[in-house]
Amino acid sequence: MSDEIERSTARVRFPGISPRAYEHPVDRGALAVLRAVPGIGPVLQAVAGAFTERGERLGYVASAIRVGPKQYPDLDRLRLEAAATLDIDPVPDLFVQRDPKVYARTLGIDKPFIVLSTGLLELLDNDGRRFVIGHEMGHVLSGHALYQTILYRLMDLQQGLGWMPAGFWAVRAVIAAMLEWYRKTELSCDRAGLLVAQDPAAALRVHVALAGGMDLSQVDTAEFLKQAKEYEQVEDVRDSLLKLIKTWRSTHPMAVVRAAELQRWAAGEEYREILTGSYSRREDDRPTSTFTEDLKGAARSYKESAERSEDPLVKVLNEVGDVLVGAADRVRSKFNGQ
């Protein structure tokens, strides 16, 4: 196993940590774009107002097990530990729901709560569960729960709009924009999960398990990461289009992509600086970041990713983007000089 995925045995806490310390720049950029989609504001407000958070919470109270000192105490310790590591107060409730499907979600508008499926928990060891709970705590700290809740409501709502084409396609457009943002939040919250677990190897085992790992002793993690490289380095533009078709309706990035992205971050300076106490703090956050700043950060991240990629479609889009940016700069300079 390589140096960047060796286990960290000492865990530190991050008092007052700002979500901007770990948020992936494409997450913030995608959210900025999402908020700028014409007409999305009224849609989000209408959907948020049409349902009560209390009803959703009561649904899980009635059909799932709420984790606490007397119910899944081991999970409760992980819940409290994760919240303390990221300095989250109050600590979100955690529910375990009987379902063979593998998922974790964070819901709620005013008081977020976390739901883990039994299918997911049965798949993971204790360190993997710590990473997953930390991941969901990242959603809480970043304020993702509001948009995630609305997304799930919209996905339910669209099932009943098939008889009304105009309404159906309007909702589909909003869902598509929200799914693009949602996929980016997973990259951010994988980082939050790593900050809680402080064990890149455990995070990698979770991604292996999500991809199909049953007996992890029979899966070589180095070979698994090679799959990510193979996925990123397709040589035929038809494969690039297939990748787009495969992912545009998904709520999560591909497991190998998530694994490779997180391991790169774990091996980088930014992660090490946070571990040593050098990170953005909430007390220094401005009330809102500007739309332009978030887009610029996302653009830089996309460009760096494109420069690493061997994907022909990504390379073409990157080159076109460079041409357009250069042209825009020249036009702007011309008018500014007049």
Side-chain angles (χ1 to χ4, degrees):
M1 196 171 291
S2 60
D3 292 339
E4 68 267 21
I5 56 174
E6 287 181 358
R7 181 188 173 99
S8 172
T9 55
R11 296 189 185 91
V12 296
R13 294 183 177 181
F14 310 102
I17 189 171
S18 166
R20 296 184 74 84
Y22 61 80
E23 285 174 342
H24 197 292
V26 297
D27 170 11
R28 293 195 295 269
L31 182 57
V33 171
L34 171 64
R35 288 170 173 160
V37 171
I40 199 168
V43 171
L44 298 184
Q45 290 174 7
V47 174
F51 300 84
T52 64
E53 177 182 313
R54 184 175 180 82
E56 287 179 324
R57 182 180 291 273
L58 284 174
Y60 285 102
V61 168
S63 63
I65 295 176
R66 181 167 52 200
V67 170
K70 296 182 178 179
Q71 300 196 122
Y72 291 124
D74 289 344
L75 285 178
D76 191 45
R77 282 191 288 272
L78 293 178
R79 175 181 75 100
L80 296 174
E81 175 190 303
T85 300
L86 296 178
D87 197 9
I88 296 175
D89 185 36
V91 180
D93 284 339
L94 171 61
F95 293 91
V96 174
Q97 185 172 47
R98 168 62 64 186
D99 196 328
K101 295 179 181 177
V102 175
Y103 59 81
R105 56 182 59 137
T106 299
L107 302 170
I109 295 174
D110 298 316
K111 190 178 178 183
F113 59 94
I114 297 167
V115 181
L116 304 179
S117 72
T118 53
L120 174 66
L121 292 170
E122 290 165 356
L123 200 61
L124 305 176
D125 59 17
N126 201 56
D127 290 332
R129 292 171 180 177
R130 179 182 288 107
F131 169 76
V132 166
I133 292 173
H135 174 109
E136 296 305 314
M137 290 290 179
H139 283 307
V140 172
L141 185 57
S142 289
H144 293 155
L146 166 63
Y147 289 97
Q148 286 191 17
T149 302
I150 292 173
L151 173 60
Y152 283 119
R153 290 174 178 177
L154 282 172
M155 292 174 76
D156 289 339
L157 182 64
Q158 76 167 335
Q159 303 301 321
L161 291 178
W163 59 272
M164 190 172 64
F168 175 80
W169 288 110
V171 170
R172 280 289 296 273
V174 173
I175 288 174
M178 294 192 75
L179 283 173
E180 171 63 14
W181 162 76
Y182 193 3
R183 287 190 291 272
K184 306 309 182 190
T185 71
E186 293 300 298
L187 301 179
S188 290
C189 293
D190 275 350
R191 294 178 175 187
L194 181 58
L195 290 177
V196 168
Q198 294 167 36
D199 184 354
L204 183 54
R205 289 196 300 273
V206 171
H207 290 138
V208 170
L210 293 176
M214 295 179 293
D215 179 358
L216 298 187
S217 67
Q218 298 189 49
V219 178
D220 183 88
T221 53
E223 285 296 317
F224 177 72
L225 290 173
K226 283 183 182 178
Q227 290 180 222
K229 192 176 182 68
E230 179 181 340
Y231 180 81
E232 293 171 350
Q233 293 183 342
V234 295
E235 297 180 354
D236 192 321
V237 73
R238 290 172 296 181
D239 293 332
S240 303
L241 294 173
L242 288 173
K243 284 158 66 174
L244 290 175
I245 293 170
K246 183 71 175 177
T247 58
W248 78 274
R249 289 181 294 183
S250 301
T251 56
H252 291 62
M254 299 298 185
V256 295
V257 175
R258 289 176 64 183
E261 184 72 28
L262 185 60
Q263 293 304 317
R264 276 193 292 267
W265 192 69
E269 188 64 31
E270 188 176 6
Y271 173 60
R272 286 191 288 271
E273 286 182 354
I274 294 175
L275 289 179
T276 60
S278 178
Y279 54 82
S280 301
R281 286 169 166 75
R282 281 167 240 170
E283 62 187 21
D284 298 323
D285 284 350
R286 289 177 292 165
T288 57
S289 63
T290 67
F291 178 80
T292 303
E293 285 176 341
D294 286 339
L295 285 188
K296 284 182 177 178
R300 284 193 298 270
S301 179
Y302 277 122
K303 183 170 178 58
E304 291 168 3
S305 177
E307 288 171 348
R308 289 195 306 268
S309 178
E310 296 297 325
D311 188 312
L313 182 58
V314 170
K315 283 186 172 296
V316 169
L317 293 176
N318 190 44
E319 290 169 1
V320 170
D322 285 342
V323 171
L324 292 176
V325 169
D329 285 342
R330 287 192 296 273
V331 170
R332 186 163 49 250
S333 298
K334 178 179 179 180
F335 280 97
N336 288 340
Q338 290 180 347

